[in-house]
Amino acid sequence: MARKRATSVQQLVDAAARVFERKGFVEATISDIATEAGVSKPTVYQYVTSKRWLLETIVEQIIYPLRNSIEEIVASDLPAREKLMRYLQVQVNSAIRYRTYYAVLHADQHQLSPKALRNYNSWAREVNHTATGLFKLCAEEGVVRPDLDVMTVVNLINGMMLSISRWYDSKGRLSPDELLEHATQLLSGYILPPAAD
């Protein structure tokens, strides 16, 4: 019986992410990815150039939408508190949506080509720089405590948000909104209550 042909590169990228998560990049083969996608190995090569290209595409599909969303939030005319809440929401949603992709990124980023690794590191610095600016604004406007080191806070919060991808189960007891509420409550010692009018 003939296998169903893949209808998009995205289906192969998704299949590769699942295989890389289970087997790791080094142990995974194009044949494994073809089987996961329900296509033949030659079909995979009609869409993609290599296993490494798939890994780099997985990383790109996490980093660029997240960076763009964060930059859009920071550049908006929203009040600082709303920017912060949207920043946290974007981080939660990204960790949930790309859970498998994040697992692959954490396990296999050392397998990226030198250029892709430079791009990833540059992205991480840009996102941290943008987030640092947001958190400084929040401190200036009385949204968060000003007495804590901003870079440390940014790294701690980003680490917490990224860890969601390791343990969150969409079929579990918390919705993404409830998860954000828990994160906000956890940060309540850092995020100051709104000023009374």
Side-chain angles (χ1 to χ4, degrees), residues 26 30 66 125 168:
V26 172
I30 291 293
L66 183 59
R125 283 189 300 274
Y168 182 76

Side-chain angles (χ1 to χ4, degrees), residues 4-181:
K4 180 182 171 189
R5 294 180 69 85
T7 58
S8 71
V9 171
Q10 189 60 52
Q11 289 175 331
L12 293 171
V13 172
D14 291 342
R18 293 189 299 272
V19 172
F20 294 163
E21 181 184 30
R22 278 195 315 271
K23 297 183 95 174
F25 176 80
V26 172
E27 296 298 319
T29 66
I30 291 293
S31 293
D32 295 329
I33 295 164
T35 299
E36 181 74 22
V39 298
S40 67
K41 187 175 171 180
T43 299
V44 173
Y45 282 115
Q46 287 178 357
Y47 289 92
V48 302
T49 57
S50 69
K51 189 170 77 163
R52 186 167 315 279
W53 182 90
L54 285 163
L55 175 63
E56 292 175 1
T57 301
I58 288 166
V59 172
E60 287 174 1
Q61 288 188 1
I62 298 170
I63 64 176
Y64 295 120
L66 183 59
R67 180 191 65 193
N68 294 343
S69 294
I70 291 169
E71 287 176 352
E72 184 178 299
I73 290 165
V74 170
S76 74
D77 293 331
L78 294 169
R81 181 175 299 277
E82 183 63 24
K83 287 181 182 186
L84 177 60
M85 296 311 295
R86 290 195 183 188
Y87 171 83
L88 296 173
Q89 181 73 60
V90 161
Q91 289 278 16
V92 167
N93 289 344
S94 181
I96 291 170
R97 180 176 181 200
Y98 297 111
R99 192 201 68 71
T100 302
Y101 286 30
Y102 276 110
V104 171
L105 172 61
H106 291 297
D108 293 316
Q109 73 177 345
H110 63 285
Q111 297 293 339
L112 293 169
S113 69
K115 180 181 178 187
L117 187 57
R118 280 192 306 275
N119 288 344
Y120 171 70
N121 288 332
S122 175
W123 166 84
R125 283 189 300 274
E126 287 175 28
V127 168
N128 277 352
H129 178 75
T130 302
T132 298
L134 171 61
F135 282 72
K136 283 181 180 178
L137 172 68
C138 288
E140 290 166 5
E141 294 194 12
V143 175
V144 298
R145 290 174 47 184
D147 60 324
L148 298 175
D149 180 71
V150 175
M151 274 303 298
T152 301
V153 170
V154 166
N155 285 316
L156 288 170
I157 290 174
N158 285 347
M160 180 178 74
M161 293 298 152
L162 288 173
S163 77
I164 292 167
S165 66
R166 292 185 176 148
W167 58 264
Y168 182 76
D169 179 2
S170 61
K171 295 177 183 128
R173 55 188 177 80
L174 292 178
S175 72
D177 288 338
E178 291 168 322
L179 181 58
L180 177 62
E181 180 62 29

